[in-house]
């Protein structure tokens, strides 16, 4: 059996029993040809595809891995809890311990609730805001991603107008458009939901401007509505107290998931006392939402993140990668546009409207053992040490060399 055939064989089987072969954003047809669909193993900052090829991973399972795959402290905590019990008739003591830890860690939090996916958490925030205010309208930034159910999914298939009847759109980092949106729903505003930063797919990433963040807080306060930060993607990578601590704004409600349990399925909502009654009043639950293993993993993850300055480490490694890529791009005559926080980067090539150059570069890196994404937010972890960054940069040097050549040929053809 040749190297590529395990992935290909799995895809062929999947095509028969899974609609479209794979749902959602992890469908490998959304990334360039050459990317694997199936993975078999992980360790530290490395993943292995089903055919056994290994990569330094800059997607971190799309965010959940933050301390390294198989982090020994997290795994030990999870194993200890697994030996005692996971899903039982009610929560384990880990629930209370984790809620206490979240309240102690997250600056705005007076309470916490838990579920499984980011969409559970963003949806609960909206529901709690409506329950707490008795109002209906929610302001959402154009192009922002808050999950994959009818009120927020980027697809329109199977979605009715009514599912989104009470959403009003504004532009991120544009206080005037936020004020206008709020003005259009006077007396009926339940919430403003904001992403931690602007991380729309395929676009440059933009940090929140202080003036915009403070305007969002003021507009919510004036309307007695909730300010919700969707920290699902960025949570615990930018600031342990919550991402909008960086701009000096405390939300009323925050949605968390991805990295909070280093890869175990867990999501959280944190809130302040203003919305405690709203949170108490809604009916929300799930068969797996109180399972103890992911909570034990989360306690170990958050404790370790706090004790090791993981945010500082990830940021320093991200800066090292960014500087290295920039120097290499310059050397090969390519204009690389890097944006986002260093530990959650995205890079796009100037003038590469159809993303063909970016795709080509990522495939060249992939073939040499580095897994980047050509258009989505990427993620660094605490396992991405400076040695790993240097190993990565040796590979990207070759990838740049390969695309510089292709790029020149294409330019010559076009010219
Ligand atoms: N909000 C943001 C900002 C996200 O990045 C995501 C996941 N990519 C979600 C919500 C939804 O999370 P999940 O896929 O776990 O439901």
């Amino acid at each position: 059996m040749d190297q590529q055939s395990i992935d290909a064989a799995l895809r062929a089987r999947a095509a028969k029993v899974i609609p479209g072969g794979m749902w959602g954003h992890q469908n490998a047809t959304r990334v360039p040809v050459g990317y694997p669909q199936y993975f078999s193993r992980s360790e530290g900052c490395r993943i292995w595809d089903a055919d056994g090829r290994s990569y330094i991973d800059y997607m971190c399972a799309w965010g959940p891995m933050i301390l390294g795959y198989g982090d020994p402290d997290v795994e030990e905590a999870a194993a200890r809890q697994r030996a005692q019990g996971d899903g039982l008739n009610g929560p384990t003591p880990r629930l209370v311990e984790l809620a206490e830890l979240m309240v102690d860690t997250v600056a705005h939090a007076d309470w916490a609730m838990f579920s499984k996916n980011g969409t559970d958490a963003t949806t609960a925030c909206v529901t709690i805001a409506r329950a707490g205010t008795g109002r209906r309208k929610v302001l959402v930034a154009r192009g922002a991603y808050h999950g994959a159910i009818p009120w927020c999914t980027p697809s329109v298939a199977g979605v009715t107008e009514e599912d989104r009847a009470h959403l009003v759109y504004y532009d991120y980092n544009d206080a005037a458009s936020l004020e206008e949106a709020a003005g259009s729903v006077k007396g009926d505003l339940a919430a403003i939901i904001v992403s931690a930063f602007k991380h729309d797919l395929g676009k440059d990433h933009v940090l929140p401007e202080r003036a915009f963040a403070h305007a969002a807080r003021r507009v919510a306060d004036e309307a007695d509505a909730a300010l919700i930060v969707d920290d699902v993607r960025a949570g615990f990578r930018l600031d342990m107290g919550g991402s909008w601590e960086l701009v000096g704004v405390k939300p009323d409600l925050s949605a968390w998931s991805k990295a909070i349990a280093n890869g175990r399925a867990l999501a959280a909502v944190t809130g302040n006392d203003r919305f405690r009654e709203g949170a108490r009043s809604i009916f929300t639950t799930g068969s797996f939402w109180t399972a103890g293993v992911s909570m034990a993993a989360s306690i170990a993850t958050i404790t370790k993140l706090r004790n090791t300055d993981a945010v500082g480490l990830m940021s320093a490694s991200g800066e090292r990668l960014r500087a290295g890529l920039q120097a290499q791009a310059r050397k090969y005559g390519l204009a690389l546009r890097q944006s986002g926080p260093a530990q959650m980067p995205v890079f796009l090539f100037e003038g590469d409207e159809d993303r063909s150059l970016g795709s080509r570069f990522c495939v060249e890196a992939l073939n040499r053992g580095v897994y980047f994404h050509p258009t989505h937010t990427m993620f660094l972890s605490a396992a991405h040490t400076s040695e790993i960054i240097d190993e990565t940069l040796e590979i990207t040097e070759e990838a740049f060399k390969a695309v510089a050549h292709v790029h020149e040929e294409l330019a010559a053809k076009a010219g």
Side-chain angles (χ1 to χ4, degrees):
M1 215 181 242
D2 72 35
Q3 279 295 294
Q4 195 47 43
S5 63
I6 295 174
D7 193 82
L10 286 166
R11 288 194 203 208
R13 285 165 58 192
K16 296 189 184 132
V17 291
I18 297 165
M22 179 61 204
W23 57 87
H25 61 291
Q26 290 188 0
N27 186 324
T29 61
R30 289 171 175 257
V31 279
V33 173
Y35 272 74
Q37 175 71 79
Y38 293 93
F39 298 88
S40 56
R41 193 158 79 79
S42 61
E43 192 183 319
C45 65
R46 294 178 203 271
I47 48 170
W48 282 258
D49 68 19
D51 288 287
R53 298 187 302 177
S54 82
Y55 311 93
I56 301 174
D57 179 20
Y58 285 91
M59 283 308 283
C60 294
W62 295 75
M65 187 281 270
I66 190 166
L67 285 168
Y69 291 109
D71 178 85
D73 297 315
V74 177
E75 291 312 305
E76 192 198 318
R80 214 179 312 124
Q81 184 59 43
R82 194 182 305 109
Q84 292 173 19
D86 189 14
L88 304 170
N89 288 2
T92 71
R94 303 295 88 73
L95 171 65
V96 182
E97 293 160 14
L98 179 57
E100 286 171 346
L101 185 58
M102 286 295 280
V103 167
D104 188 56
T105 305
V106 176
H108 80 105
D110 294 318
W111 53 263
M113 294 165 75
F114 300 94
S115 47
K116 282 292 158 201
N117 288 287
T119 310
D120 301 335
T122 54
T123 303
C125 284
V126 167
T127 310
I128 290 167
R130 286 177 170 147
T133 59
R135 303 194 213 108
R136 300 179 298 173
K137 304 294 180 186
V138 178
L139 310 189
V140 184
R142 279 184 196 90
Y145 186 76
H146 296 300
I149 54 171
W151 78 266
C152 55
T153 175
S155 165
V156 291
V159 175
T160 68
E161 267 176 41
E162 288 80 1
D163 288 314
R164 296 173 184 187
H166 298 296
L167 304 185
V168 179
Y169 296 92
Y170 67 90
D171 294 316
Y172 199 91
N173 268 342
D174 182 342
S177 86
L178 187 66
E179 278 162 15
E180 193 185 318
S184 75
V185 295
K186 264 208 171 85
D188 201 12
L189 183 62
I192 301 168
I193 184 164
V194 291
S195 306
F197 63 93
K198 190 170 192 282
H199 43 46
D200 303 355
L201 183 68
K203 306 239 174 83
D204 295 315
H205 288 2
V206 189
L207 297 176
E209 287 167 13
R210 274 190 99 79
F212 168 74
H214 285 268
R217 183 64 275 175
R218 179 175 45 74
V219 170
D221 287 342
E222 283 170 4
D224 202 25
L227 177 63
I228 302 168
V229 168
D230 178 352
D231 230 339
V232 169
R233 192 176 305 184
F236 295 149
R237 272 196 165 81
L238 306 190
D239 190 306
M240 290 304 293
S243 295
W244 271 32
E245 282 298 288
L246 295 172
V247 284
V249 168
K250 295 198 176 7
D252 298 294
L253 299 163
S254 290
W256 305 80
S257 186
K258 291 203 184 277
I260 68 173
N262 200 44
R264 289 270 176 351
L266 193 67
V269 173
T270 52
N272 61 17
D273 277 333
R274 234 180 106 206
F275 284 89
R276 189 186 287 267
E277 177 52 25
R280 189 206 57 77
S281 70
I282 67 166
F283 183 80
T284 186
T285 188
S287 296
F288 305 102
W289 288 14
T290 53
V293 171
S294 59
M295 294 192 183
S298 183
I299 292 167
T301 301
I302 295 169
T303 304
K304 190 162 182 177
L305 288 170
R306 281 175 59 158
N307 291 344
T308 56
D309 185 26
V311 170
L313 248 156
M314 289 185 281
S315 170
S317 286
E319 294 292 354
R320 190 180 184 93
L321 177 67
R322 180 166 287 182
L325 291 175
Q326 209 59 33
Q328 291 174 346
R330 209 173 304 120
K331 178 172 160 191
Y332 290 101
L334 296 161
L336 188 66
R337 224 166 52 221
Q338 304 192 68
S339 63
Q343 58 274 49
M344 297 179 67
V346 68
F347 51 72
L348 305 169
F349 287 88
E350 204 72 65
D352 185 30
E353 301 311 331
D354 65 357
R355 309 285 179 240
S356 59
L357 178 56
S359 295
R360 187 67 196 252
F361 171 76
C362 287
V363 169
E364 295 290 350
L366 183 85
N367 289 339
R368 293 169 172 82
V370 170
Y371 192 108
F372 288 139
H373 196 288
T375 50
H376 192 276
T377 317
M378 291 181 276
F379 302 85
L380 273 77
S381 76
H384 289 78
T385 58
S386 49
E387 291 77 20
I388 293 293
I389 301 300
D390 292 347
E391 189 183 333
T392 302
L393 289 169
E394 279 175 31
I395 289 171
T396 55
E397 170 88 27
E398 297 304 313
F400 274 118
K401 205 184 283 176
V403 295
H405 172 67
V406 172
H407 185 58
E408 277 160 23
E409 271 177 18
L410 287 177
K413 239 188 246 167

